[in-house]
Amino acid sequence: AQKITQTQPGMFVQEKEAVTLDCTYDTSDPSYGLFWYKQPSSGEMIFLIYQGSYDQQNATEGRYSLNFQKARKSANLVISASQLGDSAMYFCAMREGLTSYGKLTFGQGTILTVHP
Amino acid sequence: DAGITQSPRYKITETGRQVTLMCHQTWSHSYMFWYRQDLGHGLRLIYYSAAADITDKGEVSDGYVVSRSKTENFPLTLESATRSQTSVYFCASSEGLVNIQYFGAGTRLSVL
């Protein structure tokens, strides 16, 4: 079974609008972490935001926020006020447990295109 | 500039040849990782290391070998390259409780 599922292969958004990228995860470990990374066309992987399983509040980093719904096992990324530079591939990833040496399992990614 | 660097950035080789991809980080992070990225698969873990001289296999380790004699270096070797190993390879490092992984720029490898 997939541990990280990103069901949207591609998403389109108008510049300055908000967009939500979906991510669901599957784990039986009570301790885990959820990450979002951005991969622009240049190819590098850029860390965006992190949510721990015990964190009470949704994580926010500038225009990025993580809509964490633990019971539904979802960790959607919300990008507010989209910019042309947000066009990229976005990956959701999970680290399971406290002794996993930080290993990440990635979803297949969502390509976001921002239209002017 | 400090950070994590991979070399070479691009490599073309032939089937059966041995290839080594280099990864160097200047943060003294304990953990280091190798991933490969293929269309339709996202990133998949090849090998990881918790410290110098401590390495372990990931999800897709067949055909690869790693070593970590120094904390800052984590080379990945394809012992006898196959066409199925054509991919983009990423090295990453992390540290601390949250273990945010920071990635190198990647190596694009083509096996002909």
Side-chain angles (χ1 to χ4, degrees):
Chain A
Q2 293 280 351
K3 292 205 170 191
I4 293 285
T5 302
Q6 295 181 252
T7 57
Q8 307 154 314
M11 287 286 286
F12 295 89
V13 66
Q14 207 71 27
E15 195 178 7
K16 299 179 186 177
E17 293 185 348
V19 63
T20 298
L21 306 184
D22 294 342
C23 173
T24 57
Y25 59 93
D26 183 26
T27 181
S28 56
D29 197 314
S31 300
Y32 54 88
L34 297 156
F35 303 76
W36 278 91
Y37 284 85
K38 172 184 178 181
Q39 186 177 41
S41 58
S42 51
E44 70 267 35
M45 295 286 289
I46 302 166
F47 165 73
L48 294 178
I49 195 165
Y50 165 81
Q51 179 85 41
S53 60
Y54 296 118
D55 293 343
Q56 295 295 314
Q57 304 220 358
N58 287 344
T60 60
E61 289 285 351
R63 295 185 298 111
Y64 304 109
S65 60
L66 202 153
N67 184 0
F68 182 44
Q69 299 189 41
K70 198 168 182 176
R72 296 180 61 186
K73 294 189 174 179
S74 75
N76 298 339
L77 177 70
V78 180
I79 304 175
S80 63
S82 296
Q83 302 172 356
L84 296 178
D86 293 333
S87 292
M89 175 79 90
Y90 289 81
F91 290 98
C92 179
M94 177 174 64
R95 181 201 72 235
E96 290 179 274
L98 296 176
T99 58
S100 62
Y101 302 110
K103 292 180 291 179
L104 293 179
T105 302
F106 284 83
Q108 295 193 7
T110 296
I111 299 175
L112 175 66
T113 303
V114 181
H115 288 303
Chain B
D1 195 12
I4 184 164
T5 54
Q6 293 183 236
S7 60
R9 291 294 315 280
Y10 303 91
K11 177 74 177 177
I12 300 173
T13 191
E14 297 176 340
T15 56
R17 290 192 180 263
Q18 184 180 80
V19 178
T20 296
L21 308 184
M22 305 301 292
C23 179
H24 175 79
Q25 53 108 351
T26 59
W27 292 308
S28 299
H29 285 171
S30 296
Y31 304 123
M32 295 190 75
F33 309 85
W34 275 105
Y35 295 90
R36 60 178 288 175
Q37 183 178 21
D38 305 291
L39 276 174
H41 289 282
L43 277 80
R44 292 181 291 174
L45 182 66
I46 306 171
Y47 265 96
Y48 64 98
S49 170
D53 297 321
I54 300 175
T55 62
D56 208 348
K57 296 178 178 180
E59 179 187 354
V60 290
S61 60
D62 287 348
Y64 302 95
V65 174
V66 293
S67 63
R68 194 165 176 209
S69 57
K70 292 185 177 181
T71 299
E72 60 266 30
N73 296 324
F74 192 37
L76 175 73
T77 298
L78 288 67
E79 294 184 296
S80 178
T82 65
R83 288 195 180 89
S84 65
Q85 292 177 311
T86 292
S87 187
V88 180
Y89 291 85
F90 285 99
C91 179
S93 71
S94 70
E95 188 65 83
L97 186 62
V98 174
N99 260 309
I100 294 169
Q101 289 188 21
Y102 295 96
F103 285 77
T107 294
R108 186 174 294 274
L109 175 68
S110 295
V111 183
L112 306 179

